[in-house]
Amino acid sequence: MAIHRHQAGTVELTAKERFYREVIHGLSSTPKYLPSKYFYDAAGDRLFQQIMQLPEYYLTRCEHEIFVKQTKALAAPLLQQFETFDVLELGAGDATKSTHLLRYLNDSAKDFTYYPIDISENVIRLLENEMPQRIPGLEVHGLNGDYFDMLAKSYDLSNRNKLVLFLGSNIGNFKRDEAERFLQALNYHLQPGDMVLIGFDVKKNPKDILAAYNDDSGVTKAFNLNLLKRINCELGADFNLTKFDHYPTYNPISGACKSYLISLQNQQVTIGEESFSFYKNEPVWTELSQKYAEREIDELAMRAGFKPIAKYYDSKDWFVDVLWERI
Ligand SMILES: C[S@@+](CC[C@H](N)C(=O)[O-])C[C@H]1O[C@@H](n2cnc3c(N)ncnc32)[C@H](O)[C@@H]1O
């Protein structure tokens, strides 16, 4: 694939070139992996909507309950601290949960702009159309791209104080040391006094966790396989989806819940000019959903330079949204 070169010699990759490079890198590694951020094309977004409705997928229901029942408490520290501010949402998805908080803030007549950030172009297009209908008068400015590229871009648009939402246990897609570095980078991009509201999935009965990634109706399997379908469509690969299976695991000690695609036979797959061999039963790691104990969450805040302000649990204590202040 030809890479775009700028006059000064610097190389700037298009989204497709970056996708290609990361897929080739992951499949050339031992063991093989594919980055989970590429799950979300239009079909992946739709499948994730279905996952959120599954009886087994407790995460969305628990966090939704927090946003519905504790809206006032979620908004209180922000309303006390700032006259004007921006709300940024990293990996906004369909923004169903954040809509409750945004509506409350909008009704409080505070002056703010909502900046949803998402790598899925489809998501940003939908939110720019839908959010002003859901919340009349809401100022919305969508930012399509990777978290920090877009966070940096938001400063070109406004330097007001920020509330950054990072919901849905998206933080769980990082390994624990990566999560720490991610939060340190987030800290670096913020000003003292800015706030972050982060959704963590809490360690619980391993059976409940595993079931959430292994639903009976096979939607999570279809979501996992859709990654191969996307590579076929966008990068010209020839994955045969019937020759891969979905396999989730959960380790209750580390809290790591991982999903794999398992090659059901020895096979060869071509992506553009590259060719990859898969042996029978070879796993390709596609997703991490890290679970946390409360103590581990507090440690993360401290190590990343944030002061814990409040914790909001659902009624089962299965999910927590934590509000931290940038020191
Ligand atoms: C699991 S969904 C969660 C959506 C929403 N936060 C929620 O709680 O319902 C993850 C979202 O994050 C987006 N995403 C994943 N990795 C991203 C990245 N590196 N940069 C920007 N968006 C990303 C995806 O496109 C998707 O919309």
Side-chain angles (χ1 to χ4, degrees), residues 157-186:
L157 303 166
S158 147
N159 61 1
R160 293 198 287 206
N161 271 112
K162 302 201 181 327
L163 168 69
V164 177
L165 307 177
F166 195 35
L167 309 182
S169 179
N170 277 21
I171 187 84
N173 292 144
F174 297 114
K175 293 180 198 163
R176 286 170 61 158
D177 57 337
E178 287 172 354
E180 191 175 318
R181 285 199 298 276
F182 179 87
L183 293 169
Q184 284 164 348
L186 180 58

Short mmCIF file of all heavy atoms in Angstrom, two decimals, residues 157-186:
data_model
loop_
_atom_site.label_atom_id
_atom_site.label_comp_id
_atom_site.label_asym_id
_atom_site.label_seq_id
_atom_site.Cartn_x
_atom_site.Cartn_y
_atom_site.Cartn_z
N LEU A 157 -10.13 24.38 19.38
CA LEU A 157 -11.50 24.88 19.30
C LEU A 157 -11.90 25.64 20.56
O LEU A 157 -12.71 26.55 20.51
CB LEU A 157 -12.46 23.71 19.07
CG LEU A 157 -12.15 22.86 17.82
CD1 LEU A 157 -12.91 21.55 17.84
CD2 LEU A 157 -12.50 23.64 16.57
N SER A 158 -11.36 25.24 21.71
CA SER A 158 -11.73 25.90 22.97
C SER A 158 -10.72 25.55 24.05
O SER A 158 -10.21 24.43 24.09
CB SER A 158 -13.12 25.40 23.38
OG SER A 158 -13.22 25.34 24.77
N ASN A 159 -10.43 26.52 24.94
CA ASN A 159 -9.53 26.21 26.07
C ASN A 159 -10.27 26.29 27.40
O ASN A 159 -9.67 26.54 28.43
CB ASN A 159 -8.29 27.11 26.05
CG ASN A 159 -8.67 28.57 26.19
OD1 ASN A 159 -9.87 28.88 26.31
ND2 ASN A 159 -7.70 29.46 26.16
N ARG A 160 -11.59 26.06 27.35
CA ARG A 160 -12.36 26.09 28.60
C ARG A 160 -12.04 24.85 29.44
O ARG A 160 -11.52 23.86 28.92
CB ARG A 160 -13.86 26.08 28.28
CG ARG A 160 -14.29 27.38 27.59
CD ARG A 160 -15.77 27.57 27.67
NE ARG A 160 -16.54 26.70 26.82
CZ ARG A 160 -17.74 26.99 26.35
NH1 ARG A 160 -18.31 28.13 26.65
NH2 ARG A 160 -18.39 26.15 25.58
N ASN A 161 -12.40 24.89 30.71
CA ASN A 161 -12.24 23.70 31.55
C ASN A 161 -13.05 22.54 30.98
O ASN A 161 -14.05 22.77 30.30
CB ASN A 161 -12.72 23.98 32.98
CG ASN A 161 -11.59 24.51 33.83
OD1 ASN A 161 -11.62 25.67 34.22
ND2 ASN A 161 -10.59 23.70 34.10
N LYS A 162 -12.59 21.32 31.27
CA LYS A 162 -13.20 20.16 30.63
C LYS A 162 -13.68 19.11 31.63
O LYS A 162 -13.05 18.89 32.66
CB LYS A 162 -12.19 19.50 29.69
CG LYS A 162 -11.68 20.48 28.64
CD LYS A 162 -11.11 19.81 27.44
CE LYS A 162 -10.59 20.81 26.41
NZ LYS A 162 -11.27 22.08 26.29
N LEU A 163 -14.79 18.49 31.23
CA LEU A 163 -15.18 17.21 31.84
C LEU A 163 -14.99 16.19 30.73
O LEU A 163 -15.58 16.31 29.65
CB LEU A 163 -16.65 17.21 32.28
CG LEU A 163 -17.19 15.82 32.65
CD1 LEU A 163 -16.55 15.29 33.93
CD2 LEU A 163 -18.71 15.83 32.81
N VAL A 164 -14.14 15.18 31.00
CA VAL A 164 -13.92 14.12 30.00
C VAL A 164 -14.65 12.87 30.44
O VAL A 164 -14.40 12.35 31.54
CB VAL A 164 -12.40 13.83 29.84
CG1 VAL A 164 -12.19 12.69 28.85
CG2 VAL A 164 -11.67 15.07 29.37
N LEU A 165 -15.55 12.39 29.59
CA LEU A 165 -16.27 11.15 29.87
C LEU A 165 -15.56 10.00 29.16
O LEU A 165 -15.21 10.12 27.98
CB LEU A 165 -17.71 11.22 29.35
CG LEU A 165 -18.56 12.41 29.79
CD1 LEU A 165 -19.93 12.35 29.10
CD2 LEU A 165 -18.74 12.40 31.29
N PHE A 166 -15.35 8.91 29.88
CA PHE A 166 -14.75 7.72 29.26
C PHE A 166 -15.53 6.54 29.82
O PHE A 166 -15.14 5.93 30.83
CB PHE A 166 -13.26 7.67 29.61
CG PHE A 166 -12.46 6.73 28.76
CD1 PHE A 166 -12.75 6.54 27.42
CD2 PHE A 166 -11.39 6.02 29.30
CE1 PHE A 166 -12.01 5.67 26.63
CE2 PHE A 166 -10.63 5.16 28.52
CZ PHE A 166 -10.95 4.99 27.18
N LEU A 167 -16.65 6.25 29.17
CA LEU A 167 -17.65 5.34 29.76
C LEU A 167 -17.57 3.93 29.18
O LEU A 167 -16.73 3.63 28.33
CB LEU A 167 -19.05 5.93 29.55
CG LEU A 167 -19.24 7.39 29.96
CD1 LEU A 167 -20.68 7.83 29.73
CD2 LEU A 167 -18.84 7.62 31.41
N GLY A 168 -18.49 3.08 29.65
CA GLY A 168 -18.67 1.76 29.04
C GLY A 168 -17.53 0.81 29.28
O GLY A 168 -17.38 -0.17 28.55
N SER A 169 -16.69 1.08 30.28
CA SER A 169 -15.51 0.25 30.54
C SER A 169 -14.57 0.21 29.33
O SER A 169 -13.84 -0.76 29.14
CB SER A 169 -15.97 -1.18 30.92
OG SER A 169 -14.87 -2.02 31.16
N ASN A 170 -14.57 1.30 28.54
CA ASN A 170 -13.58 1.39 27.44
C ASN A 170 -12.16 1.30 27.97
O ASN A 170 -11.27 0.79 27.29
CB ASN A 170 -13.72 2.73 26.69
CG ASN A 170 -14.82 2.71 25.65
OD1 ASN A 170 -15.72 1.89 25.73
ND2 ASN A 170 -14.74 3.61 24.71
N ILE A 171 -11.94 1.81 29.20
CA ILE A 171 -10.60 1.76 29.82
C ILE A 171 -10.14 0.30 29.93
O ILE A 171 -8.95 0.01 29.93
CB ILE A 171 -10.62 2.46 31.21
CG1 ILE A 171 -9.23 2.58 31.82
CG2 ILE A 171 -11.53 1.74 32.22
CD1 ILE A 171 -8.44 3.73 31.38
N GLY A 172 -11.11 -0.62 30.02
CA GLY A 172 -10.79 -2.05 30.14
C GLY A 172 -10.19 -2.64 28.87
O GLY A 172 -9.67 -3.76 28.90
N ASN A 173 -10.24 -1.89 27.77
CA ASN A 173 -9.61 -2.40 26.54
C ASN A 173 -8.08 -2.28 26.59
O ASN A 173 -7.39 -2.78 25.71
CB ASN A 173 -10.13 -1.67 25.29
CG ASN A 173 -11.60 -1.98 25.01
OD1 ASN A 173 -12.35 -1.14 24.57
ND2 ASN A 173 -12.01 -3.22 25.28
N PHE A 174 -7.58 -1.58 27.62
CA PHE A 174 -6.12 -1.46 27.79
C PHE A 174 -5.64 -2.46 28.83
O PHE A 174 -6.34 -2.71 29.82
CB PHE A 174 -5.74 -0.07 28.29
CG PHE A 174 -6.09 1.05 27.35
CD1 PHE A 174 -7.04 1.98 27.69
CD2 PHE A 174 -5.46 1.16 26.12
CE1 PHE A 174 -7.36 3.02 26.84
CE2 PHE A 174 -5.78 2.19 25.26
CZ PHE A 174 -6.73 3.13 25.61
N LYS A 175 -4.40 -2.97 28.63
CA LYS A 175 -3.76 -3.74 29.70
C LYS A 175 -3.55 -2.79 30.87
O LYS A 175 -3.52 -1.55 30.67
CB LYS A 175 -2.39 -4.26 29.23
CG LYS A 175 -2.48 -5.29 28.13
CD LYS A 175 -1.07 -5.72 27.74
CE LYS A 175 -1.07 -6.39 26.40
NZ LYS A 175 0.25 -6.47 25.78
N ARG A 176 -3.32 -3.33 32.08
CA ARG A 176 -3.27 -2.44 33.24
C ARG A 176 -2.16 -1.40 33.14
O ARG A 176 -2.36 -0.24 33.48
CB ARG A 176 -3.15 -3.27 34.52
CG ARG A 176 -4.50 -3.93 34.81
CD ARG A 176 -4.43 -4.94 35.88
NE ARG A 176 -3.99 -4.36 37.13
CZ ARG A 176 -4.24 -4.91 38.30
NH1 ARG A 176 -4.94 -6.03 38.37
NH2 ARG A 176 -3.80 -4.37 39.40
N ASP A 177 -0.98 -1.80 32.65
CA ASP A 177 0.10 -0.80 32.54
C ASP A 177 -0.21 0.20 31.43
O ASP A 177 0.11 1.39 31.53
CB ASP A 177 1.46 -1.48 32.33
CG ASP A 177 1.49 -2.39 31.11
OD1 ASP A 177 0.41 -2.84 30.67
OD2 ASP A 177 2.59 -2.64 30.57
N GLU A 178 -0.89 -0.27 30.38
CA GLU A 178 -1.29 0.66 29.30
C GLU A 178 -2.34 1.65 29.82
O GLU A 178 -2.33 2.82 29.44
CB GLU A 178 -1.91 -0.09 28.12
CG GLU A 178 -0.94 -0.88 27.28
CD GLU A 178 -1.67 -1.76 26.26
OE1 GLU A 178 -2.92 -1.84 26.27
OE2 GLU A 178 -0.98 -2.38 25.46
N ALA A 179 -3.25 1.16 30.67
CA ALA A 179 -4.29 2.04 31.23
C ALA A 179 -3.64 3.15 32.04
O ALA A 179 -4.04 4.31 31.97
CB ALA A 179 -5.26 1.23 32.08
N GLU A 180 -2.60 2.77 32.80
CA GLU A 180 -1.90 3.77 33.61
C GLU A 180 -1.25 4.83 32.69
O GLU A 180 -1.39 6.03 32.93
CB GLU A 180 -0.84 3.06 34.45
CG GLU A 180 -0.24 3.95 35.50
CD GLU A 180 0.73 3.18 36.38
OE1 GLU A 180 0.43 2.02 36.76
OE2 GLU A 180 1.80 3.73 36.68
N ARG A 181 -0.59 4.36 31.62
CA ARG A 181 0.05 5.31 30.69
C ARG A 181 -1.00 6.15 29.98
O ARG A 181 -0.82 7.34 29.75
CB ARG A 181 0.91 4.55 29.68
CG ARG A 181 2.22 4.03 30.27
CD ARG A 181 3.23 3.70 29.20
NE ARG A 181 2.78 2.65 28.32
CZ ARG A 181 2.91 1.34 28.58
NH1 ARG A 181 3.47 0.95 29.70
NH2 ARG A 181 2.49 0.44 27.71
N PHE A 182 -2.13 5.53 29.64
CA PHE A 182 -3.22 6.26 28.97
C PHE A 182 -3.73 7.39 29.87
O PHE A 182 -3.91 8.53 29.45
CB PHE A 182 -4.36 5.29 28.64
CG PHE A 182 -5.54 5.94 27.98
CD1 PHE A 182 -5.60 6.10 26.60
CD2 PHE A 182 -6.61 6.41 28.73
CE1 PHE A 182 -6.69 6.71 26.00
CE2 PHE A 182 -7.70 7.02 28.14
CZ PHE A 182 -7.74 7.17 26.76
N LEU A 183 -3.92 7.07 31.17
CA LEU A 183 -4.45 8.07 32.10
C LEU A 183 -3.41 9.16 32.38
O LEU A 183 -3.75 10.33 32.57
CB LEU A 183 -4.90 7.39 33.39
CG LEU A 183 -6.12 6.47 33.21
CD1 LEU A 183 -6.35 5.62 34.45
CD2 LEU A 183 -7.37 7.30 32.89
N GLN A 184 -2.13 8.77 32.37
CA GLN A 184 -1.08 9.79 32.53
C GLN A 184 -1.07 10.73 31.32
O GLN A 184 -0.93 11.95 31.47
CB GLN A 184 0.30 9.13 32.69
CG GLN A 184 0.49 8.55 34.08
CD GLN A 184 1.65 7.57 34.18
OE1 GLN A 184 2.21 7.13 33.18
NE2 GLN A 184 2.00 7.20 35.41
N ALA A 185 -1.27 10.16 30.13
CA ALA A 185 -1.33 10.99 28.91
C ALA A 185 -2.57 11.88 28.95
O ALA A 185 -2.52 13.05 28.57
CB ALA A 185 -1.36 10.09 27.67
N LEU A 186 -3.67 11.34 29.45
CA LEU A 186 -4.90 12.13 29.58
C LEU A 186 -4.64 13.30 30.54
O LEU A 186 -4.99 14.45 30.25
CB LEU A 186 -6.03 11.23 30.10
CG LEU A 186 -7.40 11.88 30.29
CD1 LEU A 186 -7.91 12.49 28.99
CD2 LEU A 186 -8.42 10.84 30.78
#
